[in-house]
Structures are given as C-alpha cells and as structure tokens.
Amino acid sequence: DARVTQTPRHKVTEMGQEVTMRCQPILGHNTVFWYRQTMMQGLELLAYFRNRAPLDDSGMPKDRFSAEMPDATLATLKIQPSEHRDSAVYFCASGRGTGGNPDTQYFGPGTRLTVL
Amino acid sequence: AQSVTQLGSHVSVSEGALVLLRCNYSSSVPPYLFWYVQYPNQGLQLLLKYTTGATLVKGINGFEAEFKKSETSFHLTKPSAHMSDAAEYFCAVTGAGNNRKLIWGLGTSLAVNP
C-alpha cells in the first residue's frame, strides 16, 4: 500500500530556529505539493514541483521558506528563521503529472509544527 | 479566476439522515472538480472527482456528487450518514492553464449525531 511519508510528525521549536520537514512521495509520482493548513487560513498551497523542478512557489514566503527536491524520492521544506505565525500543519502530497486528466493528489499524514 | 465556495463551515446530521455538503465554484475554463475528506489528525484523501463525461460521479464510502454547469455547483451527497463519516470535507477546482494546482474551499466540518 503505497503512501506518502512525512517526517517528523510533530515538531516543537523556538522562534528563530531552523525547521526542516521531509517528504517521501509515492514511488513513480512526479508531482509534489507542499501545503500549510491553519484554522484561520484553511489549506494553502506553498509550493508545487513537477519532475523535481519548481513550477509554482508563489504561496511561499520567500524570505524564510525554501522548498527543494534533492532527488525524486525526497522533498524538503525549510523554514529559517521560524516565527510564531508558522505554527500549522504542513502537508506534502504527490501525484502523477501527465498531459491528460488532472492528478489525484495523495496526501501524507502531515507535520504539526509548533513555534514557541 | 478560479474560486471555490463551500456553504456552511459546519453541518450536523443524525445518523441515517441524508448528507448534503454544498460547493459552488467559478472557473474561466471547463472545471475539473474534486471532493477530499480529512479525518482527524490525518491527511486528505480523495472521495471523488469530476473531469469529463457523466455528471453524476460516485466515490468511496457511498458518496456521490453531481456536476451542474448551469448552477456552477458540485454538491456532495450521501443517502444515509454513518458515524464514521464525521470528518472535514474539502471541495477543490483545478486552476486554469497547464498549472495543475488545486484551488481549495475552506472546508465543511460534518458532525454525525447518534
């Protein structure tokens, strides 16, 4: 049963510290999405990759957030420095990007980040 | 520009009653529409999607949705609610062009009362 995995599942850190979240997409999927979910804003798209290349990161605060795909099996989302307002659940999702119908996105379990 | 409106952030039904979760969208291109469900402390999972063809789409767990172009709606229904249906439900529409990102609604929390 193929699944998207995310680590860590929970992270508590202090303001100003660096946070790195990792995602392993489903094998064979070539699109990866990073989302942030909060009560106030709902689900926000932060970044979107296809074939490891960033297609859209317009939702990401560029001064402190960065997203990369070092290889096809790993996506990372980094926050440096972290702030209180970054407290949220961060989801990674993967899918198959083809020229046909839109992909179904398969979500990981999320990383719950608390910035003290 | 694409947008999604989910009417009612909280819906409460009795077990066995009809579930109706409303979703309206706006789209400058023929839309592809999705419903996802999120159970507590979990990621989202696909319930069903409309791309082309039959406007009544059946999904998992007995849910279905009907695409109504004239009403720009994609409401989610289930004839008989089960306690296990209690969750957050999200409607989404694809963005225009080659960008496949989804535009998400704010979600509807469904409570099922015994």
Side-chain angles (χ1 to χ4, degrees):
Chain A
D1 185 19
R3 297 186 182 193
V4 175
T5 58
Q6 290 186 247
T7 57
R9 292 294 311 277
H10 302 271
K11 177 70 176 179
V12 179
T13 191
E14 293 188 346
M15 190 175 65
Q17 296 298 304
E18 177 180 302
V19 175
T20 299
M21 291 169 270
R22 293 177 175 80
C23 167
Q24 182 172 18
I26 292 173
L27 190 64
H29 284 188
N30 66 341
T31 57
V32 172
F33 306 81
W34 280 106
Y35 290 94
R36 175 170 62 186
Q37 185 178 41
T38 62
M39 291 292 292
M40 296 301 296
Q41 300 295 330
L43 201 61
E44 304 172 273
L45 179 68
L46 298 175
Y48 165 31
F49 290 78
R50 177 178 291 172
N51 296 325
R52 297 176 55 200
L55 286 192
D56 187 340
D57 61 1
S58 59
M60 201 163 64
K62 303 290 192 305
D63 57 338
R64 298 185 301 108
F65 284 59
S66 62
E68 296 178 344
M69 283 200 73
D71 60 60
T73 64
L74 177 64
T76 62
L77 180 66
K78 187 175 296 185
I79 308 173
Q80 168 62 20
S82 57
E83 298 182 359
H84 296 305
R85 58 180 167 159
D86 300 329
S87 295
V89 181
Y90 291 81
F91 288 104
C92 174
S94 71
R96 291 190 187 90
T98 67
N101 289 335
D103 322 318
T104 294
Q105 294 184 24
Y106 295 83
F107 282 73
T111 294
R112 183 175 295 276
L113 174 65
T114 302
V115 182
L116 301 176
Chain B
Q2 268 66 1
S3 68
V4 174
T5 302
Q6 291 185 239
L7 300 174
S9 57
H10 298 277
V11 171
S12 182
V13 300
S14 298
E15 191 173 19
L18 171 72
V19 176
L20 171 60
L21 304 182
R22 300 177 187 273
C23 173
N24 288 89
Y25 69 91
S26 67
S27 178
S28 57
V29 297
Y32 296 140
L33 295 152
F34 301 78
W35 276 100
Y36 280 78
V37 61
Q38 184 180 26
Y39 298 104
N41 300 313
Q42 294 186 26
L44 284 71
Q45 61 180 271
L46 181 71
L47 266 182
L48 49 79
K49 66 180 178 182
Y50 168 79
T51 54
T52 58
T55 57
L56 182 63
V57 180
K58 294 187 185 299
I60 62 171
N61 301 337
F63 284 92
E64 62 182 36
E66 187 170 11
F67 169 58
K68 291 187 177 181
K69 184 178 179 180
S70 61
E71 299 178 8
T72 61
S73 69
F74 191 56
H75 301 331
L76 182 70
T77 60
K78 181 173 180 177
S80 177
H82 192 272
M83 297 295 290
S84 60
D85 294 327
E88 189 87 13
Y89 292 80
F90 294 89
C91 181
V93 63
T94 44
N98 292 324
N99 191 331
R100 293 187 179 280
K101 69 179 183 181
L102 294 181
I103 310 301
W104 296 87
L106 293 180
T108 297
S109 177
L110 175 66
V112 181
N113 306 310

